[in-house]
Amino acid sequence: MERETLGNVLDAALKLGGDFAEVFIERKKVTGITCEDDKIERVVSGLDVGAGVRVISGENTAYAYTNDVSAEGLLKVAGVVGRAARGPKRDVVINLVRSPMWKFDVNQRPDHVPVEEKVSLVQDVNKAARRQDQRIKQVMVGYGDICQHVVIANSDGNLVEDERIRTRLALNVVAAQGGTIQTGFEAIGAFGGLDIFKDIEPVDLAAKAAGRAVMMLSARPAPTGRMPVVMAAEAGGTMVHEACGHGLEADLVQKQLSVYAGKRGQEVASPLVTVVDDATVPKKYGSFYYDDEGMRGEKTILIKDGILQDYMYDVLTARKEGRRSTGNGRRESYQERPIPRMTNTYIAPGKDDPEEIIRQVKHGLLVKKMGGGQVNTTTGDFVFDVAESYLIKDGEVVCPIRGATLTGNGPEVLRMVERIGSDLGYAIGTCGKDGQGVSVSDAQPTMMIRELLVGGTDAPTGINGQIRRL
């Protein structure tokens, strides 16, 4: 798209008034492969091309999109959203300055790998999981990749071009014995091509998921009660993402829908806790060079030594406070307007030996894999399922347990963090918000939380092992 054409589109969007205009053009090629019931169920690939135009006028935003990315098509959409603007008509002169295009190193680009090789990879993972144990009853494998090219221009004079390439593999294994059914889930994904599988062999991922499902068949029912909980680094950062991260997104803060609203500069966590959102971490699933508004991705310190430092902003929320965006404006596609979203969010590592943290617990729970859950961002209250956990007794990991849930309040839990390990473990996911899904990763070190309410099916026990009624 020529710079002159983009300038004309922005001019058309603002000629009836308005404070800010933006055009987002996207070309996206995707591949998805699904294996279930020991056979390839679906192979989908496609190319989607389109553009969205946005106008901000005071507190109002108008957004429209089209699949016609010709100059005529974009001018038509610009005229539509421009009519939603309020203010005097004006002649607009926009001088677009192109920023340098920068690429992460990507080997084995997905669009250069035949689909037959990807199908073979999925089949190998399925077979590897099934041969682990005769109690494996079902295996579901999903592969996906995306090659996205975007051009973004706005009335502030910014013009950027960016490419994002992401690859992922996920599988869910179901094991059954008698009347007991357990599952094991594993996923890997990164900003990169199929070379991500050089670090972690897909068949090893399958063995790990299958092994968890089988192990949980003989696990003890989870105890119930308030007790110390050690979150292992390999559990990933589900806790920080859900119980903390969403509450630090500026749109929720400005709408007073976050428990962290109005608390910048205040203590909101243990002095051991530092929370970071960083889009620049190489090859992570939530990484990018430019966000979906053309702002440079950056490292944002959200909480430092327990003190709330900042929130995550996009252009709109930043304009409301007269400040700059933190590069967290993201959208699922050209069909959606950008909103503040996380990228790679993590609790920074500490100095403690992870094994020593476990040895300090007299009676508690070790969590190695988180499941699903839900969070109320207004209050910070959460409930999470635990996919893999173990009972700790006198500093030793004694046995696996199943059926555990964790209930608590995000800010309260962060204040109860007493030990933080020197390790750091990442997990990937697709984060949903306002009907949009974007790729993210989250991470945490091994850390010990003084007390959490653990729900299970066993008899309630307190920290000292005595019966406690809740």
Side-chain angles (χ1 to χ4, degrees), residues 35-36 46 68 86 227 263 272 329 352 365 390 400 424 428:
C35 178
E36 191 172 347
D68 183 357
R86 296 291 183 269
M227 64 188 71
K263 294 186 178 179
L272 300 173
D352 291 328
L365 190 73
Y390 301 81
L424 187 66
I428 69 162

Side-chain angles (χ1 to χ4, degrees), residues 95-356:
N95 181 28
L96 292 174
V97 178
R98 186 181 296 272
S99 297
M101 185 176 179
W102 187 89
K103 295 182 179 181
F104 288 99
D105 291 330
V106 177
N107 298 316
Q108 281 191 282
R109 291 177 57 101
D111 51 348
H112 293 172
V113 177
V115 69
E116 291 82 6
E117 288 188 25
K118 302 172 186 178
V119 170
S120 179
L121 170 68
V122 170
Q123 291 173 325
D124 289 345
V125 171
N126 172 66
K127 293 175 183 177
R130 289 182 177 276
R131 65 171 172 256
Q132 295 300 311
D133 195 283
Q134 62 182 6
R135 290 168 289 183
I136 301 297
K137 303 301 180 184
Q138 181 61 286
V139 177
M140 291 152 281
V141 184
Y143 166 90
D145 61 50
I146 174 174
C147 297
Q148 180 193 38
H149 186 272
V150 299
V151 175
I152 308 163
N154 63 41
S155 56
D156 288 340
N158 298 324
L159 171 59
V160 305
E161 187 175 1
D162 197 18
E163 184 178 47
R164 298 86 172 262
I165 296 177
R166 292 186 174 90
T167 306
R168 63 171 175 81
L169 178 72
L171 72 154
N172 193 58
V173 179
V174 180
Q177 184 176 35
T180 302
I181 298 175
Q182 293 294 310
T183 62
F185 176 82
E186 284 292 333
I188 180 177
F191 193 116
L194 275 75
D195 49 300
I196 68 170
F197 300 127
K198 292 181 179 179
D199 296 328
I200 300 179
E201 289 287 341
V203 292
D204 293 339
L205 203 71
K208 189 173 182 180
R212 177 179 299 113
V214 171
M215 179 183 65
M216 287 295 116
L217 290 174
S218 57
R220 284 177 46 181
T224 301
R226 296 185 180 276
M227 64 188 71
V229 173
V230 176
M231 304 287 296
E234 61 192 273
T238 300
M239 180 74 73
V240 65
H241 179 99
E242 297 290 357
C244 173
H246 279 298
L248 296 174
E249 292 168 336
D251 54 343
L252 297 179
V253 172
Q254 292 175 348
K255 295 173 184 176
Q256 299 296 307
L257 296 177
S258 167
V259 69
Y260 297 102
K263 294 186 178 179
R264 186 187 274 118
Q266 298 181 27
E267 184 179 298
V268 296
S270 160
L272 300 173
V273 173
T274 293
V275 178
V276 179
D277 185 83
D278 189 357
T280 69
V281 184
K283 297 186 178 182
K284 295 304 179 186
Y285 201 50
S287 297
F288 49 76
Y289 194 66
Y290 294 105
D291 74 359
D292 291 325
E293 296 177 302
M295 304 300 294
R296 281 283 297 271
E298 61 183 60
K299 179 179 181 178
T300 304
I301 308 297
L302 303 172
I303 298 172
K304 182 175 177 60
D305 301 330
I307 306 299
L308 180 58
Q309 304 291 314
D310 207 353
Y311 304 112
M312 290 170 278
Y313 290 86
D314 65 351
V315 167
L316 179 60
T317 54
R319 290 174 67 91
K320 290 180 179 179
E321 297 184 21
R323 57 162 294 166
R324 58 181 291 277
S325 166
T326 56
N328 287 93
R330 305 187 67 188
R331 64 184 101 197
E332 182 174 343
S333 75
Y334 66 89
Q335 300 180 21
E336 308 285 352
R337 64 182 181 85
I339 54 178
R341 306 296 298 272
M342 284 173 276
T343 62
N344 306 303
T345 312
Y346 61 89
I347 295 178
K351 299 179 180 180
D352 291 328
D353 177 2
E355 296 298 326
E356 180 62 25

Side-chain angles (χ1 to χ4, degrees), residues 8 61 65 125 165 191-192 219 230 250 271 315 363 375 400 405 407:
N8 292 338
T61 299
Y65 64 89
V125 171
I165 296 177
F191 193 116
V230 176
V315 167
H363 174 83
V375 179
T405 61
T407 302

